[in-house]
Amino acid sequence: MEIIDNIKANASDFIQKNSKLTVAIICILVFLSLSAIFILIGTTGNNKTVKKINLPEEVFSKKEEFLPPADIKMTEDYYFSRITEDTWSDEELNRWFSMPDDTNMKALEDANDTLINKITEAAP
C-alpha cells in the first residue's frame, strides 16, 4: 500500500504546486473526450440510417434525345456523338494532323533522354 500512498501524495503535491496547469490539462482532456464522443455518435448514426434505407441501385438510361445548349449556335464541328472510322480521310488528315518538324522532334528526344536519365540514375 505504500506505492499507492506515494502516488497519491505525489499527485496531491503536483496539483498544489501547479494548480493552473492541472486545471488546463483537465479542461483539455474533457474537451477531447467530448469531441471524440460526438464524432463517434455522428459517424455511427449516419451508418445506421444508411443501412435502414435500402435504396435500389439506379441505372442511367437515356429517355430523351440530348438537347443542344440554348446560347451556342450549332456548327458542323459540334456533335452529340459520332461514329469513328478506322482510318482518316485525306480531308481529315489535312485538317487535323501536321507533321512535326526537326525542332519538335529534337525537343521530344531531349525530354525523353532527360526522363530516362532520371530513371536510370536511381538504378543500382
Side-chain angles (χ1 to χ4, degrees), residues 53-114:
I53 301 173
N54 292 326
L55 297 175
E57 290 187 22
E58 196 170 325
V59 178
F60 174 77
S61 62
K62 183 177 108 172
K63 295 178 182 175
E64 297 179 6
E65 289 296 317
F66 290 112
L67 297 174
D71 297 340
I72 299 175
K73 292 182 181 179
M74 295 291 289
T75 64
E76 63 186 37
D77 294 334
Y78 191 89
Y79 298 105
F80 291 112
S81 64
R82 76 180 181 115
I83 299 170
T84 57
E85 299 293 331
D86 290 338
T87 59
W88 285 0
S89 66
D90 290 337
E91 179 184 326
E92 288 176 324
L93 182 67
N94 292 332
R95 183 174 181 186
W96 298 111
F97 184 74
S98 60
M99 288 294 291
D101 57 358
D102 291 337
T103 57
N104 291 340
M105 293 302 291
K106 182 65 176 158
L108 180 63
E109 180 182 353
D110 292 342
N112 287 339
D113 288 342
T114 303

Side-chain angles (χ1 to χ4, degrees), residues 4-85:
I4 295 174
D5 291 335
N6 285 338
I7 292 174
K8 285 182 182 179
N10 288 337
S12 64
D13 287 344
F14 178 79
I15 291 171
Q16 288 174 357
K17 291 179 183 175
N18 303 313
S19 61
K20 290 182 181 179
L21 177 65
T22 305
V23 170
I25 290 172
I26 290 172
C27 289
I28 290 171
L29 289 175
V30 168
F31 175 75
L32 290 176
S33 300
L34 290 176
S35 298
I37 290 170
F38 286 132
I39 290 171
L40 287 174
I41 289 172
T43 56
T44 57
N46 289 340
N47 288 341
K48 289 179 183 176
T49 57
V50 171
K51 288 180 182 175
K52 287 180 184 176
I53 301 173
N54 292 326
L55 297 175
E57 290 187 22
E58 196 170 325
V59 178
F60 174 77
S61 62
K62 183 177 108 172
K63 295 178 182 175
E64 297 179 6
E65 289 296 317
F66 290 112
L67 297 174
D71 297 340
I72 299 175
K73 292 182 181 179
M74 295 291 289
T75 64
E76 63 186 37
D77 294 334
Y78 191 89
Y79 298 105
F80 291 112
S81 64
R82 76 180 181 115
I83 299 170
T84 57
E85 299 293 331

